[in-house]
Amino acid sequence: MRSYSILVACALLGIFQTVSLSSSDSKRLSSYDAQVKELLAQMTLDEKIGQMTQPEQGPVLANPGDMQKYFIGSVLSGGDSDPAEGNGLEAWTDLYDRVQSEALKTRLKIPVLYGVDAVHGHSNVLGAVIFPHNIALGCTRDPALVEKISRITAEEVRATGIQWTFAPCVAVPQDIRWGRTYEGFSEDPALVEMLGVAAVRGLQGDLKNPLSVLACAKHYVGDGGTAATTAPRPEAVPKGASRLWLDQGDASMDEATLRRIHLPGYVAAINAGVGSIMPSFSTWNGVRCSASRRLLTEILKEELGFEGFLISDYNAITQIRPDDYKASVEISINAGMDMAMEPTSYAKFFNTLKELVTEGRVPMSRIDDAVTRILRVKFAMGLMDKSRSQLADRKLHKSFGSPAHRELAREAVRKSVVLLKNERNALPVAKDIARIHVAGKSADDIGNQCGGWTIRWQGQSGKVTTGGTTVLEAIKAAVSRNTSVTYSIDGSGAEGASIGIAVIGERPYAEGVGDTSDLSLSKEDVAVIRNLKKAGIPVAVILIAGRPMIIDSVLRQSDSFMAAFLPGTEGSGIADVLFGDYSPTAKLSFSWPKSMDQLPLNINVPKDRYSPLFPYGYGLSY
Ligand code: GLC
C-alpha cells in the first residue's frame, strides 16, 4: 500500500498548508458579530424566523407576497427546480434577480442566499462546463486542480447571480452499492480531506469576493457509512430503485470509528472556513443526524468551533418524527439546526417554529444563535454592503462555458482517467492509424458522460443534455485526415478496422435511485465487446460509470481497459489519453471488487478481507 502512505503524508502536508493558508483568505465569521448584533437587535421574531426558512423558488414565487410575508432569508433550486423559461443562462439569471428583488422589498432588505447543487460545475444550466464528478477528481490526487475547478465553478454560478452551492460533498463512501458513491472523492478519509478542503478554498476564496460562493460541506456525518439492507424503506422507494438500499440508511458504528473515517473532511473544511454544513438524511446508530444534539451542537459547534450555519437537507426535518411535525421542528432546531430546507412547507415551518418559541419550547437564545450564524455569513459575503448591488453581474456571461473553462475541464478529465490494463500495446493509438471502429452506448452520449445532477436531477442519457464533446467526437477530432472513424452502438461492422474502442458502463442516476445490488455490466455492453472480438481486432474499453463495476469477463476479452468514471462535457480529455498526448497518471480513488459478494470492500475493512480486482491507488501509465 505504498501509494497510500505517500497519500497520507501529502494529506498531512496539505492540511498544515491549508490551515495556515485558509486564515489568509477570509476573516473569521465571528469577527462580524458586532454588526450582526446591531442588526439582530432591530429584528422582530418573524424576521428572525424568516432568516431560518428556505423554500424552493417555485412554491414561494407561486404565492405572490410570501417572500415578504415570511421575510424569507434563503431560497433554493433543488434538482429539477428550474426557471419556467427553461435552463438557459438568461432564464436562470432572470430567476435569481426576481427572487432577490422580492427579498429586497422587506423592511430590513436583508438579501437572500440562493442555493443550488453546483456539484460538478453549474450543472443545472445549459452551456455550463460540466467537470468530472468527485469520484474521478479523487483519482487525480490533485488539490490544486480541484481548487481551480471549484474557482471556475464559483464564477459560473455567480454568472447567474446565485451565491451558494451545496458542495463539496465530503462523504467517504464505504460501499459502492450506494447511489451517491460518485459524489464522494474517495473511500479514503485522508484523500477526501485533502480534496474537500481544496474545494472549499476554491469555492469560497475570500468570501467578500463577488466571484466567490458560499460552500456547504455535506452530508454531515457518516452518509457514506450506511449499511446495505433490504428492510422496508422508511421513505417511499424512489422510482427505479432496487430492493437493496443504503441511501439515507443507518451508519452503525462507535464514535471513534465515525471520527476516524467520516469526520476528517468536516474538521478540515471548518479549519478552511466553510460557511455552511448540511446534516445528512441518514441516521447514526438509529438517530437522525438532523436530530442529534451530540453531532450538531456538541461536536460541530462546541468542540470543532464551527461558526457558520447548518442547513437541513430537503424535507429532512419531517423524517425525525414523521407523525409529529411540530416535535420534529422542536427537536431539530434545539439540536442545533439553523436553517430549514422546507421546499413547499415553508409557511408551515415558519408558523410551527413561531409557536414553539411563543410556547417556550424553543428558547429565543437558540433563535438568536441560528440567525447570528446566518447573518455572519451574509456580512462576510458582502450581502449587507448597501453600496453593492445584490443582483446578478451579467458581465460574467461572457466567460460562462468559455473555451478557457472547458480547457480546465479537459485537463481534469485526462488527469482522472485510470488505465487498468494495457496489453499488446493497444494504447496509445497512433493518430494516423487506418481505421478506428467506435462502439457502445456511451460513445456518443453527453448525458451518460455527465451522470446525475446534470441539467436534470437524475441526469439524462442522450446528446441533448447540454453542450460538450462526446468521446466519439473527440476521437474524430484527434485523428489524421487519412484515418477513418466508424461507429456502431452494438459493435457490429468492426471487421477490417485497426482497433475497436468500446465505451460502456452506467446510465445516469442520483441519490437512492442509484442504490443497487448488481453492478455487473449490462447484456448490451457485454455484447458490444463480443462483437468487437469477433472482428479479430485489438479491443480498448472505456468505462463511463459512477463507480467500479464487475468487469471480469469483459476485462479478459479486452486488450486495454480504462475507467473514466463520469468525465463531464469535455470528452477530449479521454482522447488525450487514448492517443498518448497525455500519459495516464490517475490512481483509483476506490477499491475495485472482483464480485458483488466482496462488498463492502474498501481500505478500511480487515486486511484478510481485502482482495480487490484492483486495489485502492492502482493505475498504470504508458
Ligand atoms: C438532496 C440532496 C442534497 C442536496 C439537496 C438540495 O436531496 O440530499 O445533496 O443538496 O437535496 O437539492
Side-chain angles (χ1 to χ4, degrees), residues 76 78-79 117 166 180 218-219 278 281 313-314 341 453 511:
L76 89 143
D117 293 279
F166 304 123
R180 306 197 77 165
K218 73 183 187 181
H219 311 78
M278 185 185 291
F281 280 119
D313 204 335
Y314 202 91
M341 187 185 289
W453 295 105
E511 301 194 45

